[in-house]
């Protein structure tokens, strides 16, 4: 996964699909389903609440659990998402591009 200029390109990373995932099989299946749904297309990180964005968030949640990291970054995204969906703004912004990019970077950094 890579993030550039507010966009993410999701792929399977060429790995075995199950590395670093000690959770039960249903977590791995969930992550594989999200990866397959996203395919190789670009995702607009600023499209908070879009279908692709929500699939990416689901995948990031699974990855965060599997790697046991990025809890603070995921909470910050959740706060932003709730505000955007509720009142339409979070700290003067109308999307969660920066929060989602930070979370994506956290999860994909070894």
């Amino acid at each position: 996964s890579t993030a550039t200029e507010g966009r993410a390109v999701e792929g399977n990373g060429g790995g075995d699909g199950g590395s670093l995932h000690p959770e039960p099989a249903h977590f791995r299946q969930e992550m594989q389903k999200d990866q397959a749904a996203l395919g190789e297309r670009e995702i607009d990180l600023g499209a908070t609440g879009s279908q692709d964005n929500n699939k990416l968030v689901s995948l990031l949640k699974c990855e965060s659990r599997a790697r046991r990291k990025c809890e603070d970054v995921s909470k910050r995204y959740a706060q932003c998402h709730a505000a955007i969906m509720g009142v339409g703004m979070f700290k003067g912004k109308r999307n969660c591009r920066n929060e989602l990019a930070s979370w994506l970077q956290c999860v994909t950094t070894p």
Side-chain angles (χ1 to χ4, degrees):
S1 301
T2 60
T4 56
E5 297 180 27
R7 294 191 176 274
V9 179
E10 276 300 315
N12 65 7
D16 66 353
S19 62
L20 299 176
H21 305 296
E23 283 75 25
H26 71 275
F27 282 121
R28 285 191 299 275
Q29 290 170 348
E30 206 175 296
M31 289 191 315
Q32 290 169 348
K33 184 176 113 182
D34 290 332
Q35 284 177 331
L38 289 170
E40 297 282 335
R41 65 181 173 266
E42 282 191 351
I43 299 167
D44 179 0
L45 299 182
T48 305
S50 71
Q51 191 174 25
D52 281 347
N53 213 309
N54 289 341
K55 288 175 187 171
L56 176 59
V57 167
S58 179
L59 181 60
L60 291 175
K61 283 180 185 177
C62 286
E63 288 288 346
S64 292
R65 277 192 302 254
R67 298 171 188 235
R68 292 185 173 93
K69 62 186 243 178
C70 307
E71 187 175 326
D72 57 332
V73 184
S74 72
K75 284 182 181 179
R76 198 168 342 151
Y77 175 79
Q79 290 171 341
C80 179
H81 185 269
I84 296 294
M85 294 296 111
V87 296
M89 294 195 75
F90 178 73
K91 297 185 178 182
K93 300 179 302 176
R94 296 195 175 275
N95 64 57
C96 299
R97 175 179 283 123
N98 295 338
E99 290 78 11
L100 190 53
S102 294
W103 192 8
L104 181 61
Q105 183 176 6
C106 180
V107 167
T108 58
T109 302

